[in-house]
Amino acid sequence: MPRWTALLAVVLAACGGSADPSKTEPPPVPVSVTRVEQRDVPLDVRAIGNVEAFSTVSVKSQVEGQLAEVRFKEGDEVKVGDLLFVIDPAPFQAALDQAQANLARATAEAKNAEVQARRFAALAKSGIVSNDEYERVATQAASMGAAVDAARAAVENVKLRLDFCYMRSPIEGRVGRLLVHQGNVVKEKETTLAVINQLKPIYVTFAVPEQELPEIRRHQADHPLTVTVTLADAATPPVQGTLSFIDNAVDMTTGTVILKGVFPNADEVLWPGQFVNAALTLDVERNAAVVPAAAVQTGQEGPYVFVVKPDETVEYRPIKVARSAGPLAVVESGLAAGETIVTEGFVRLAPGVKVTVRQPEPGGVRTGAAQ
């Protein structure tokens, strides 16, 4: 055999030989994983809520006059009976003095008329004066007595209006900004001077679909229902209250019904006008299997997850999701507590693919997903 033929045979044999499996096998796919947990999961109805003051009072003057004093600072907490405003009392004090003088005059005149009536009664009995004259004097005495009653009522009315000059808080709460400043003239029952909001306790109002109403009422009949609200500020912990009100009609335009939760709000975390996330807890499902909602994928046959097997390969696992619970999915069937599932890195996965678990970066921050 010629030398070039033998050399060609050696080259062909080398090219057709078996390759090293470690050099042809695809590398493991990096993924993030978690274990299926078993925990108690609340059955919640979630909605966007709005914080409302427990009680709101618009402070208006019941008399017309000049605003003489403001006895609070904007934003102050006030209690029932605290003095807020003073309307100039001088005109009303003068009116009271005049009314009291009128009462004194009417009282004196009534006493004199009563004396005359008694004297004419004795004279009429003796026949010295006629009965007509006696009746005239008696009628005049009765009229003077009525005038005393009218003068006394006038005094009480002016006293009341004088008392209205000193405007006090009718509720306990926090007063808002000053709407009319000292020196201005305010009109009777028209001018709003300030608004007081009662913040402790406080309401959170939210609307739920009418389809939820039967379940809400059924659970409420069994036990008081808890309302949990969370604020946009992640640093503020959730606040819990109690469902206190279900509206008596469904809004036909939106198909929702209004509910209210009442909260102690001792630390005033909730503030009127805030928007919050509200969760009405109807019941608690015990020992439910839960996974992160982000781990559940959706295919043509429904939801599924990738389960990591002991040999570090993944298995396609169809599951049945009962419901969502915030960032979690409650699994009705298909998974058991303790199994490991993939949470990130799905793009290159397929049944039987080998995976490697990403390790957290220094400081506990997980590496980004390659999706």
Side-chain angles (χ1 to χ4, degrees):
M1 176 184 299
R3 290 182 59 188
W4 65 268
T5 304
L7 181 60
L8 179 61
V10 172
V11 171
L12 290 175
C15 293
S18 59
D20 185 352
S22 64
K23 295 182 180 179
T24 59
E25 182 179 351
V29 176
V31 295
S32 298
V33 299
T34 190
R35 291 188 181 276
V36 180
E37 294 185 8
Q38 197 170 33
R39 63 170 70 172
D40 297 341
V41 182
L43 176 60
D44 290 339
V45 178
R46 296 179 176 270
I48 301 298
N50 181 249
V51 182
E52 293 183 0
F54 189 82
S55 179
T56 298
V57 173
S58 295
V59 181
K60 295 183 179 182
S61 175
Q62 297 190 66
V63 293
E64 183 171 340
Q66 186 181 49
L67 183 58
E69 296 181 48
V70 178
R71 293 289 190 90
F72 66 91
K73 294 180 180 178
E74 293 177 315
D76 278 355
E77 286 192 21
V78 295
K79 299 187 180 299
V80 177
D82 284 356
L83 184 60
L84 303 177
F85 299 99
V86 178
I87 303 297
D88 184 9
F92 300 94
Q93 184 61 55
L96 177 60
D97 294 341
Q98 181 178 358
Q100 288 174 333
N102 292 339
L103 174 59
R105 182 179 60 187
T107 302
E109 291 175 350
K111 286 182 179 180
N112 181 60
E114 187 179 350
V115 170
Q116 290 288 340
R118 285 199 299 267
R119 187 166 65 87
F120 268 71
L123 293 175
K125 199 172 189 180
S126 302
I128 298 175
V129 297
S130 66
N131 286 333
D132 288 344
E133 286 184 277
Y134 165 68
E135 289 177 0
R136 178 180 59 79
V137 172
T139 301
Q140 186 178 9
S143 176
M144 291 295 182
V148 171
D149 293 338
R152 186 176 291 112
V155 169
E156 294 302 320
N157 180 61
V158 177
K159 280 184 178 179
L160 184 61
R161 293 179 69 79
L162 178 59
D163 188 55
F164 285 158
C165 291
Y166 301 91
M167 303 172 63
R168 302 179 184 277
S169 175
I171 63 171
E172 181 176 343
R174 189 175 291 275
V175 65
R177 63 191 180 93
L178 184 63
L179 302 178
V180 178
H181 292 273
Q182 183 175 336
N184 285 278
V185 174
V186 297
K187 293 186 177 181
E188 180 178 343
K189 298 179 182 178
E190 289 187 18
T191 309
T192 300
L193 307 180
V195 176
I196 305 172
N197 283 332
Q198 184 176 351
L199 307 182
K200 296 180 284 191
I202 202 166
Y203 286 127
V204 171
T205 301
F206 54 99
V208 300
E210 60 180 305
Q211 295 85 353
E212 304 284 357
L213 186 57
E215 280 294 298
I216 293 173
R217 297 190 63 195
R218 182 174 68 82
H219 285 90
Q220 188 185 35
D222 294 337
H223 54 83
L225 301 184
T226 299
V227 182
T228 304
V229 300
T230 54
L231 284 71
D233 178 15
T236 303
V239 183
Q240 287 195 337
T242 305
L243 181 68
S244 61
F245 169 77
I246 301 176
D247 203 359
N248 60 1
V250 173
D251 187 333
M252 297 180 63
T253 59
T254 61
T256 60
V257 60
I258 298 296
L259 280 66
K260 281 186 180 182
V262 62
F263 298 76
N265 202 34
D267 51 2
E268 295 187 350
V269 170
L270 301 177
W271 208 254
Q274 278 181 320
F275 285 96
V276 296
N277 295 311
L280 174 64
T281 301
L282 304 182
D283 204 349
V284 178
E285 184 178 351
R286 305 295 179 184
N287 299 321
V290 296
V291 298
V296 180
Q297 305 297 296
T298 302
Q300 294 181 349
E301 299 177 357
Y304 68 92
V305 296
F306 282 107
V307 178
V308 181
K309 298 193 295 183
D311 63 357
E312 297 184 346
T313 61
V314 294
E315 171 191 350
Y316 170 88
R317 181 81 61 83
I319 62 172
K320 186 174 183 181
V321 177
R323 58 187 175 87
S324 296
L328 301 177
V330 180
V331 179
E332 183 176 327
S333 61
L335 287 174
E339 289 190 290
T340 301
I341 62 171
V342 176
T343 59
E344 293 179 342
F346 302 100
V347 171
R348 291 185 288 164
L349 292 186
V353 170
K354 198 173 186 62
V355 297
T356 180
V357 177
R358 293 192 183 100
Q359 296 299 321
E361 293 180 345
V365 180
R366 191 171 55 188
T367 55
Q371 294 190 23

